[in-house]
Amino acid sequence: MDTTKLSKMLYGGDYNPEQWDSGVWPEDMRMLRLAGMDIATVNVFSWAMLQPNESTYSFETLDQIMDMLHENGIYACLATSTVAHPAWMARQFPDVLRTDFDGRKRKFGGRHNSCPNSPSYRTFSERIASKLAERYKDHPALLLWHVSNEYGGECYCENCAAAFRVWLKRKYVTLDKLNEQWNTRFWGHTFYDWEEIVLPSGLSEQWAANRTNFQGISLDYARFNSDGMLDCYKLEYEAIKAVTPDIPVTTNLMGTYKQLDYFKWAKHMDIISWDNYPAADTPVSYTAMTHDLMRGLKGGAPFLLMEQTPSQQNWQAYNSLKRPGVMRLWSYQ
């Protein structure tokens, strides 16, 4: 990452001005400057704003945000917004909706709500990433690309089941090899046709996320799921790099998040970034270890702390107020 233009360590955070009235924005800028901030992650959850329907794109509000950041001496870490698909997409292209662990097809809502093996999701996410790259490739505020946000979760739909069988064929080549490696004679699990293999869910092999009757298939499904999300990331990465080859691309990892193979992901990230959210009782040694893990993903290369816990967040049972200086201490750690 080219830091020659920077006079100090980057200091910033997520900024979502499209979620409130634009009359507040000038005060936002005054306070960001007062805090000494020089970078803001924007456009993380704006896909519905950028694309109101299948064929229409609207970048006017994001243009204003990008211009405002530049005018105030703040760089942009520009996200692709693909973490949450628009409502029209869920209605017109229901293959983008995930199926949960218990076999229920989700309705529209939440985030991380897109099936990673949905052809529609992959098409639209790659397209919006490309359009963003074309529009902002020469914008003076653009310093870093941020693909999606905190990849995670699972899907158990028919598209995933079909893709899983393709993944297994590539890995094992023959059913004889798969049956041998999975020890399928246990409990009469032997497969004689690839189509007999179903996803390990609450309807088949698993009792819960970490309890299973059949370790081989559950472990391989976890590997498959990580690879499927990585494929989605790579589609956006390549679309961006085709237009802005010299601007680094990243996505925010989550420390010891077990569901994704971060060492495999790191090969496709220009710079490692991660989100650090220790609770009030998290040992500082654990946080230090997780920083070391992130540094190790690229053999000791510097990493970016994309997010870290402030004194308040909406999902922890208890929010402890930090003493003065602790946020600075954690940042330097």
Side-chain angles (χ1 to χ4, degrees):
M1 185 173 180
D2 181 13
T3 57
T4 56
K5 295 182 290 184
L6 306 175
S7 59
K8 65 178 185 64
M9 185 179 291
L10 288 167
Y11 174 58
D14 280 13
Y15 180 48
N16 304 285
E18 73 282 356
Q19 297 182 19
W20 51 85
D21 189 87
S22 59
V24 180
W25 296 0
E27 178 65 3
D28 290 346
M29 292 298 100
R30 186 189 72 81
M31 294 180 72
L32 292 181
R33 292 196 307 269
L34 188 65
M37 294 172 68
D38 45 29
I39 188 168
T41 299
V42 294
N43 196 50
V44 177
F45 301 107
S46 305
W47 199 351
M49 178 187 76
L50 299 179
Q51 191 176 2
N53 57 58
E54 181 180 355
S55 57
T56 304
Y57 293 86
S58 175
F59 295 102
E60 289 76 16
T61 300
L62 186 55
D63 287 347
Q64 295 175 33
I65 293 169
M66 292 289 287
D67 292 345
M68 176 178 63
L69 293 177
H70 175 62
E71 291 163 4
N72 286 273
I74 300 171
Y75 287 107
C77 172
L78 184 56
T80 59
S81 75
T82 52
V83 64
H85 57 249
W88 62 262
M89 194 180 298
R91 181 171 63 88
Q92 294 178 233
F93 303 90
D95 63 286
V96 306
L97 295 169
R98 289 186 178 183
T99 296
D100 72 10
F101 181 75
D102 294 314
R104 298 171 299 185
K105 187 76 168 180
R106 284 189 54 86
K107 301 292 185 181
F108 172 76
R111 66 181 206 181
H112 291 299
N113 53 2
S114 306
C115 168
N117 293 290
S118 158
S120 299
Y121 175 73
R122 291 191 175 197
T123 296
F124 286 120
S125 60
E126 182 181 18
R127 191 175 297 166
I128 190 68
S130 180
K131 287 186 177 294
L132 285 164
E134 286 286 353
R135 189 164 189 96
Y136 298 107
K137 60 184 178 182
D138 297 319
H139 199 286
L142 179 60
L143 186 69
L144 177 69
W145 286 105
H146 178 350
V147 174
S148 189
N149 187 73
E150 292 186 334
Y151 280 94
E154 298 88 17
C155 180
Y156 298 86
C157 72
E158 288 304 313
N159 279 330
C160 289
F164 184 46
R165 289 189 281 267
V166 171
W167 187 92
L168 291 172
K169 289 177 185 178
R170 290 173 180 161
K171 179 174 182 178
Y172 294 107
V173 183
T174 68
L175 274 174
D176 286 344
K177 185 67 174 179
L178 179 144
N179 283 316
E180 174 196 341
Q181 292 296 307
W182 283 2
N183 191 30
T184 56
R185 289 191 180 184
F186 178 76
W187 279 8
H189 277 85
T190 303
F191 296 108
Y192 295 98
D193 191 295
W194 293 102
E195 295 301 312
E196 294 168 1
I197 300 173
V198 298
L199 297 178
S201 71
L203 299 177
S204 58
E205 297 293 355
Q206 289 196 210
W207 309 342
N210 62 349
R211 301 185 72 187
T212 181
N213 295 319
F214 193 2
Q215 292 88 346
I217 194 171
S218 294
L219 181 57
D220 267 339
Y221 169 72
R223 292 165 171 157
F224 156 79
N225 190 60
S226 177
D227 285 353
M229 292 194 180
L230 178 57
D231 286 341
C232 290
Y233 166 83
K234 287 161 62 177
L235 282 172
E236 294 190 49
Y237 179 95
E238 295 298 337
I240 290 168
K241 282 296 186 179
V243 181
T244 57
D246 298 325
I247 297 178
V249 180
T250 191
T251 189
N252 43 343
L253 310 181
M254 295 178 287
T256 56
Y257 185 71
K258 188 178 180 181
Q259 286 84 340
L260 301 184
D261 183 351
Y262 282 163
F263 285 91
K264 183 179 287 188
W265 280 63
K267 298 174 184 177
H268 306 280
M269 298 171 63
D270 295 333
I271 182 171
I272 299 300
S273 69
W274 84 286
D275 296 349
N276 178 37
Y277 282 89
D281 58 351
T282 301
V284 293
S285 57
Y286 181 86
T287 302
M289 182 274 293
T290 316
H291 284 316
D292 280 346
L293 174 62
M294 295 296 102
R295 187 179 295 111
L297 292 180
K298 275 193 173 294
F303 65 92
L304 180 68
L305 187 60
M306 184 68 77
E307 300 177 24
Q308 64 175 325
T309 182
S311 290
Q312 180 177 340
Q313 53 274 322
N314 69 340
W315 49 268
Q316 290 195 7
Y318 301 96
N319 289 318
S320 56
L321 186 65
K322 289 182 175 62
R323 299 185 307 277
V326 169
M327 195 69 171
R328 182 189 300 270
L329 175 68
W330 285 7
S331 299
Y332 285 159
Q333 181 194 25

